[in-house]
Amino acid sequence: MSVITTIADLKRLHKRRTPRMFYDYAESGSWTEQTFRENTSDFDQIRLRQRIAVDMTNRNTASQMIGEDVAMPVALAPVGLTGMQSADGEIKAARAAEKFGVPFTLSTMSICSIEDVAEHTTKPFWFQVYTLRDDDFMKRLFDRARAAKCSAIVITLDLQIMGQRHKDLKNGLSAPPKFTLSSMANLATKVPWGLEMLQTKRRFFGNIVGHAAGVEDPSSLSSWTAEAFDQSLDWDRVAELMKMWGGKVILKGILDAEDAKKAVALGADAIVVSNHGGRQLDGALSSIRMLPEIMDTVGDKIEVHLDSGIRSGQDVLKALSLGAKGTYIGRAYINGLGAMGEKGVTKALEVIHKELDTTMALCGRRDVKTLDRDVLLVPEGFAGKWE
Ligand code: GLV
């Protein structure tokens, strides 16, 4: 492919270059994938208001997320197994984010460890944690994140049990991949990926293997989830974890106005309106459809971010115009990483930035911080009440 102009171009290359089990892991939702599909198709329902003869010089996409300067309000979302999409993938993505000037969020389920990423970057990154039962492990995780100078933690609140993703089960997803006849046949067609992987020692869950006690099969995300995650999680426990960390906290997985109020009451620094990219509760409404109600309820009390469904700078603009202060991309940058490593992540960020900047100009705005509902044409009932 000669000229890359869209995230879809990167996705095609990602599919070609990366073993099926990892491409599928990124590209799937749970069960029927209805929510996964609607996360993107609902963005498409919102249209833009074309304005003309408005001075479009000196445009600015820079803003802030949780008080940190960002070149555009688009952070890299936490994504598990990133180092399986491309060798040392988390380091590559974090470096691309740092150079571009946007936040990088490291997943607990990463291949490169917190220390690996800190060693290869110069600016603080964010660290995502799940709500686990093992206090010792949580405390050590927080200590490690503090030692690595992480400037915020992102607590994932919608994954105490895992939504069933058929493809992962059928592919026997694990890190590193287990050799079955079918995985070997597929791996044999991914030679450059394999050669790169052979040159790194980072092929296991770097934050977990050697750190978590009593985990039977540390190569499998689903078995670790079943063993270590806290199904008794409640808001008191969230408060406890926030206290244990003691620094900035972003609560992720809020899709309901009532839950948003609870997050505000705990004093979080921001919430992420998210349905986990359609990977958890299939049948939930898309994040962008839920955003207006959550903004109406808590928008003046807490910083609101959004993930799930963003594949373009136009999607970013739509979320910002509905009131989000920040957004996250997951699959969009993973497509870049799987396609072309660090350069691909940079490419994904450039694509999104250009789309955001050009769209903003053609809507008659010069600064992302001034985007508001006036920029959009939203179909009647889009964010109406569902009973
Ligand atoms: C982990 O958070 C996943 O969605 O796979």
Side-chain angles (χ1 to χ4, degrees), residues 25 78-81 107 109 128 130 156 159 162 165 168 173 221 229 252 276 279-280:
Y25 168 71
V79 180
L81 289 153
S107 164
M109 298 301 286
Q128 172 270 344
Y130 297 102
T156 297
L159 196 148
M162 222 155 132
R165 303 153 197 175
D168 292 351
L173 177 73
L221 187 139
F229 285 41
K252 173 173 178 283
H276 213 109
R279 302 163 73 76
Q280 286 297 100

Side-chain angles (χ1 to χ4, degrees), residues 315-329:
D315 296 338
V316 172
L317 176 133
K318 290 171 184 175
L320 298 177
S321 301
L322 286 176
K325 175 111 192 275
T327 63
Y328 297 73
I329 50 170

Side-chain angles (χ1 to χ4, degrees), residues 43-54:
F43 267 110
D44 296 341
Q45 285 195 39
I46 300 176
R47 305 295 163 80
L48 304 166
R49 229 177 123 198
Q50 172 175 306
R51 302 303 304 275
I52 52 166
V54 181

Side-chain angles (χ1 to χ4, degrees), residues 27-204:
E27 225 22 70
S28 52
S30 57
W31 288 311
T32 69
E33 301 193 330
Q34 179 184 34
T35 300
F36 170 59
R37 286 189 301 276
E38 288 182 359
N39 276 338
T40 50
S41 63
D42 279 355
F43 267 110
D44 296 341
Q45 285 195 39
I46 300 176
R47 305 295 163 80
L48 304 166
R49 229 177 123 198
Q50 172 175 306
R51 302 303 304 275
I52 52 166
V54 181
D55 180 0
M56 59 169 75
T57 56
N58 300 322
R59 289 187 306 281
N60 176 37
T61 60
S63 180
Q64 286 204 325
M65 288 171 78
I66 58 162
E68 298 181 12
D69 290 333
V70 293
M72 62 177 171
V74 181
L76 300 196
V79 180
L81 289 153
T82 294
M84 282 289 133
Q85 305 291 356
S86 171
D88 301 333
E90 289 88 0
I91 293 174
K92 290 173 180 165
R95 288 166 74 106
E98 177 169 312
K99 284 181 202 148
F100 204 90
V102 294
F104 172 73
T105 320
L106 182 70
S107 164
T108 297
M109 298 301 286
S110 57
I111 301 299
C112 302
S113 66
I114 309 173
E115 293 79 10
D116 283 334
V117 175
E119 215 174 286
H120 291 87
T121 50
T122 60
K123 285 201 210 126
F125 53 95
W126 299 346
F127 183 59
Q128 172 270 344
V129 293
Y130 297 102
T131 49
L132 308 181
R133 271 195 308 252
D134 181 346
D135 261 4
D136 251 21
F137 179 70
M138 289 309 286
K139 279 187 189 133
R140 271 183 287 126
L141 210 52
F142 287 149
D143 285 345
R144 292 169 64 196
R146 267 189 290 271
K149 303 207 164 31
C150 292
S151 55
I153 55 158
V154 177
I155 308 183
T156 297
L157 294 176
D158 58 3
L159 196 148
Q160 298 99 274
I161 50 173
M162 222 155 132
Q164 179 166 307
R165 303 153 197 175
H166 302 311
K167 288 181 216 135
D168 292 351
L169 292 171
K170 291 188 163 81
N171 289 333
L173 177 73
S174 68
K178 295 201 173 86
F179 292 112
T180 61
L181 268 183
S182 120
S183 75
M184 265 163 48
N186 183 253
L187 283 170
T189 66
K190 314 290 177 189
V191 173
W193 176 92
L195 291 175
E196 262 192 33
M197 242 353 131
L198 286 174
Q199 285 166 43
T200 179
K201 56 184 191 313
R202 302 183 187 96
R203 291 194 286 266
F204 304 89

